[in-house]
Amino acid sequence: MAYPFQLGLQDATSPIMEELLHFHDHTLMIVFMISSLVLYIISSMLTTHLTHTSTMDAQEVETIWTILPAIILITIALPSLRILYMMDEINNPLMTVKTMGHQWYWSYEYTDYTDLCFDSYMIPTSDLKAGDLRLLEVDNRVVLPMETTIRMLISSEDVLHSWAVPSLGLKTDAIPGRLNQTTLLSTRPGLYYGQCSEICGSNHSFMPIVLEMVSLKYFEKWSTSML
């Protein structure tokens, strides 16, 4: 999860988030080089005398500053499109979890099990235990097996919500009357926090999401105890 004064993105926990981090660094370096070049040109024009004023009218210069930006845009667009298609792929999910947004809590249903469903509310500050995170802890965590492809079906029963977990690279809108889907895959165990990312009313900031990624053996024990 994020920590105070963090400047970068959260550590990646899924292959998609790793790709997003690489793309972020790739694009940031291109922006840095462009900014450095523009700053150098501006400083040069302010500190030197223009002895060859006819250079700016040359056909070669116009060709370069037309083709070069197009090449830069292509180097940004191609990796971006690749990641977009990867995020839309559903690769033989082994289980499905349905998520419904409400004002102001989430409800979850494990569709592969009978009567395995629950609501997830934020724990009030007055009820927090030592070490709990304010505005992020919930009474019922979403327990899922790691290294397993999971399909998340996301919708809403009242207003627009958005189910987002940054460390997994997930952000899917919950729209009333529409069922959106996304793929979830965690490469390691742990607790991963998220929040509703769509302004949905007065208690919008009180809709945390907590995923507990565990081994398959522990998940089987947990699901048996919940039935």
Side-chain angles (χ1 to χ4, degrees), residues 176-200:
R178 176 169 178 165
L179 200 62
N180 292 329
Q181 68 176 356
T182 187
T183 304
L184 185 154
L185 173 64
S186 175
T187 56
R188 61 177 184 267
L191 288 178
Y192 304 105
Y193 294 87
Q195 288 179 305
C196 177
S197 296
E198 188 76 42
I199 296 177
C200 55

Short mmCIF file of all heavy atoms in Angstrom, two decimals, residues 176-200:
data_model
loop_
_atom_site.label_atom_id
_atom_site.label_comp_id
_atom_site.label_asym_id
_atom_site.label_seq_id
_atom_site.Cartn_x
_atom_site.Cartn_y
_atom_site.Cartn_z
N PRO A 176 -24.82 1.05 -12.42
CA PRO A 176 -26.13 0.40 -12.24
C PRO A 176 -26.69 -0.11 -13.57
O PRO A 176 -26.67 0.60 -14.58
CB PRO A 176 -27.01 1.52 -11.67
CG PRO A 176 -26.06 2.51 -11.10
CD PRO A 176 -24.82 2.44 -11.94
N GLY A 177 -27.16 -1.36 -13.57
CA GLY A 177 -27.73 -1.95 -14.77
C GLY A 177 -26.72 -2.49 -15.76
O GLY A 177 -27.09 -2.97 -16.82
N ARG A 178 -25.43 -2.41 -15.44
CA ARG A 178 -24.39 -2.90 -16.35
C ARG A 178 -23.40 -3.74 -15.56
O ARG A 178 -23.03 -3.40 -14.44
CB ARG A 178 -23.68 -1.73 -17.03
CG ARG A 178 -22.52 -2.18 -17.90
CD ARG A 178 -22.00 -1.04 -18.76
NE ARG A 178 -20.87 -1.48 -19.57
CZ ARG A 178 -20.39 -0.80 -20.60
NH1 ARG A 178 -20.97 0.33 -20.96
NH2 ARG A 178 -19.36 -1.25 -21.27
N LEU A 179 -22.96 -4.84 -16.16
CA LEU A 179 -22.02 -5.75 -15.51
C LEU A 179 -20.67 -5.66 -16.22
O LEU A 179 -20.52 -6.09 -17.37
CB LEU A 179 -22.56 -7.19 -15.56
CG LEU A 179 -21.98 -8.19 -14.57
CD1 LEU A 179 -22.28 -7.76 -13.14
CD2 LEU A 179 -22.53 -9.58 -14.84
N ASN A 180 -19.69 -5.06 -15.55
CA ASN A 180 -18.33 -4.98 -16.08
C ASN A 180 -17.50 -6.12 -15.50
O ASN A 180 -17.78 -6.63 -14.42
CB ASN A 180 -17.70 -3.64 -15.74
CG ASN A 180 -18.36 -2.50 -16.47
OD1 ASN A 180 -18.85 -2.66 -17.59
ND2 ASN A 180 -18.41 -1.33 -15.85
N GLN A 181 -16.45 -6.49 -16.23
CA GLN A 181 -15.59 -7.57 -15.74
C GLN A 181 -14.13 -7.20 -15.92
O GLN A 181 -13.76 -6.44 -16.81
CB GLN A 181 -15.90 -8.88 -16.45
CG GLN A 181 -15.54 -8.94 -17.92
CD GLN A 181 -15.78 -10.31 -18.53
OE1 GLN A 181 -16.15 -11.26 -17.84
NE2 GLN A 181 -15.57 -10.42 -19.82
N THR A 182 -13.32 -7.76 -15.04
CA THR A 182 -11.87 -7.57 -15.11
C THR A 182 -11.21 -8.83 -14.56
O THR A 182 -11.86 -9.65 -13.90
CB THR A 182 -11.44 -6.33 -14.31
OG1 THR A 182 -10.05 -6.09 -14.52
CG2 THR A 182 -11.70 -6.52 -12.82
N THR A 183 -9.94 -8.98 -14.84
CA THR A 183 -9.18 -10.15 -14.40
C THR A 183 -8.25 -9.76 -13.27
O THR A 183 -7.59 -8.73 -13.31
CB THR A 183 -8.36 -10.75 -15.56
OG1 THR A 183 -9.24 -11.06 -16.64
CG2 THR A 183 -7.65 -12.01 -15.13
N LEU A 184 -8.18 -10.62 -12.28
CA LEU A 184 -7.34 -10.38 -11.10
C LEU A 184 -6.38 -11.55 -10.96
O LEU A 184 -6.78 -12.71 -11.02
CB LEU A 184 -8.23 -10.24 -9.87
CG LEU A 184 -7.61 -9.87 -8.52
CD1 LEU A 184 -8.67 -9.19 -7.66
CD2 LEU A 184 -7.07 -11.09 -7.80
N LEU A 185 -5.10 -11.23 -10.78
CA LEU A 185 -4.09 -12.26 -10.57
C LEU A 185 -2.99 -11.70 -9.69
O LEU A 185 -2.35 -10.70 -10.04
CB LEU A 185 -3.50 -12.73 -11.91
CG LEU A 185 -2.31 -13.71 -11.83
CD1 LEU A 185 -2.75 -15.00 -11.18
CD2 LEU A 185 -1.72 -13.96 -13.21
N SER A 186 -2.79 -12.31 -8.53
CA SER A 186 -1.76 -11.86 -7.59
C SER A 186 -0.61 -12.86 -7.60
O SER A 186 -0.83 -14.07 -7.54
CB SER A 186 -2.34 -11.72 -6.18
OG SER A 186 -1.32 -11.41 -5.25
N THR A 187 0.61 -12.34 -7.65
CA THR A 187 1.78 -13.21 -7.72
C THR A 187 2.35 -13.53 -6.35
O THR A 187 3.26 -14.35 -6.24
CB THR A 187 2.88 -12.54 -8.56
OG1 THR A 187 3.17 -11.24 -8.01
CG2 THR A 187 2.43 -12.39 -10.00
N ARG A 188 1.84 -12.89 -5.30
CA ARG A 188 2.34 -13.17 -3.95
C ARG A 188 1.25 -12.91 -2.93
O ARG A 188 0.30 -12.17 -3.19
CB ARG A 188 3.58 -12.32 -3.64
CG ARG A 188 3.34 -10.81 -3.67
CD ARG A 188 4.62 -10.08 -3.27
NE ARG A 188 4.42 -8.66 -3.18
CZ ARG A 188 4.66 -7.81 -4.17
NH1 ARG A 188 5.09 -8.27 -5.33
NH2 ARG A 188 4.47 -6.51 -4.01
N PRO A 189 1.36 -13.53 -1.75
CA PRO A 189 0.32 -13.33 -0.72
C PRO A 189 0.47 -11.97 -0.06
O PRO A 189 1.50 -11.30 -0.16
CB PRO A 189 0.60 -14.46 0.27
CG PRO A 189 2.06 -14.73 0.12
CD PRO A 189 2.39 -14.49 -1.31
N GLY A 190 -0.59 -11.57 0.65
CA GLY A 190 -0.54 -10.31 1.37
C GLY A 190 -1.88 -9.63 1.42
O GLY A 190 -2.89 -10.14 0.91
N LEU A 191 -1.92 -8.45 2.05
CA LEU A 191 -3.11 -7.61 2.13
C LEU A 191 -2.95 -6.46 1.16
O LEU A 191 -1.92 -5.76 1.17
CB LEU A 191 -3.31 -7.08 3.55
CG LEU A 191 -3.76 -8.07 4.63
CD1 LEU A 191 -3.84 -7.35 5.97
CD2 LEU A 191 -5.12 -8.65 4.27
N TYR A 192 -3.97 -6.24 0.35
CA TYR A 192 -3.93 -5.18 -0.66
C TYR A 192 -5.16 -4.31 -0.51
O TYR A 192 -6.28 -4.81 -0.50
CB TYR A 192 -3.82 -5.78 -2.06
CG TYR A 192 -2.62 -6.70 -2.18
CD1 TYR A 192 -2.79 -8.08 -2.19
CD2 TYR A 192 -1.34 -6.18 -2.22
CE1 TYR A 192 -1.70 -8.92 -2.26
CE2 TYR A 192 -0.24 -7.02 -2.29
CZ TYR A 192 -0.42 -8.39 -2.31
OH TYR A 192 0.67 -9.22 -2.37
N TYR A 193 -4.91 -3.01 -0.41
CA TYR A 193 -5.98 -2.07 -0.09
C TYR A 193 -6.35 -1.24 -1.31
O TYR A 193 -5.52 -0.92 -2.16
CB TYR A 193 -5.54 -1.13 1.04
CG TYR A 193 -5.30 -1.82 2.36
CD1 TYR A 193 -4.07 -2.38 2.67
CD2 TYR A 193 -6.32 -1.91 3.30
CE1 TYR A 193 -3.85 -3.02 3.88
CE2 TYR A 193 -6.11 -2.55 4.53
CZ TYR A 193 -4.87 -3.09 4.80
OH TYR A 193 -4.67 -3.71 6.00
N GLY A 194 -7.63 -0.89 -1.36
CA GLY A 194 -8.14 -0.01 -2.40
C GLY A 194 -9.32 0.77 -1.85
O GLY A 194 -9.74 0.58 -0.71
N GLN A 195 -9.88 1.63 -2.68
CA GLN A 195 -11.02 2.42 -2.29
C GLN A 195 -11.90 2.68 -3.51
O GLN A 195 -11.48 2.48 -4.65
CB GLN A 195 -10.58 3.76 -1.69
CG GLN A 195 -9.97 3.66 -0.31
CD GLN A 195 -9.52 5.01 0.22
OE1 GLN A 195 -8.75 5.71 -0.42
NE2 GLN A 195 -10.01 5.38 1.39
N CYS A 196 -13.11 3.13 -3.25
CA CYS A 196 -13.97 3.57 -4.35
C CYS A 196 -13.35 4.80 -5.00
O CYS A 196 -12.97 5.74 -4.31
CB CYS A 196 -15.37 3.88 -3.82
SG CYS A 196 -16.50 4.53 -5.08
N SER A 197 -13.23 4.77 -6.32
CA SER A 197 -12.56 5.86 -7.04
C SER A 197 -13.53 6.67 -7.89
O SER A 197 -13.12 7.27 -8.89
CB SER A 197 -11.43 5.29 -7.92
OG SER A 197 -10.44 4.69 -7.12
N GLU A 198 -14.78 6.66 -7.53
CA GLU A 198 -15.79 7.45 -8.24
C GLU A 198 -16.62 8.17 -7.17
O GLU A 198 -17.14 7.53 -6.26
CB GLU A 198 -16.68 6.57 -9.09
CG GLU A 198 -17.62 7.33 -10.00
CD GLU A 198 -16.92 7.90 -11.22
OE1 GLU A 198 -16.08 7.20 -11.81
OE2 GLU A 198 -17.20 9.06 -11.56
N ILE A 199 -16.71 9.50 -7.27
CA ILE A 199 -17.46 10.26 -6.28
C ILE A 199 -18.91 9.80 -6.31
O ILE A 199 -19.62 9.96 -7.30
CB ILE A 199 -17.36 11.77 -6.57
CG1 ILE A 199 -15.90 12.21 -6.43
CG2 ILE A 199 -18.24 12.55 -5.60
CD1 ILE A 199 -15.68 13.67 -6.76
N CYS A 200 -19.36 9.22 -5.18
CA CYS A 200 -20.67 8.56 -5.15
C CYS A 200 -21.56 9.07 -4.03
O CYS A 200 -22.57 8.44 -3.71
CB CYS A 200 -20.48 7.05 -5.01
SG CYS A 200 -19.49 6.56 -3.58
#
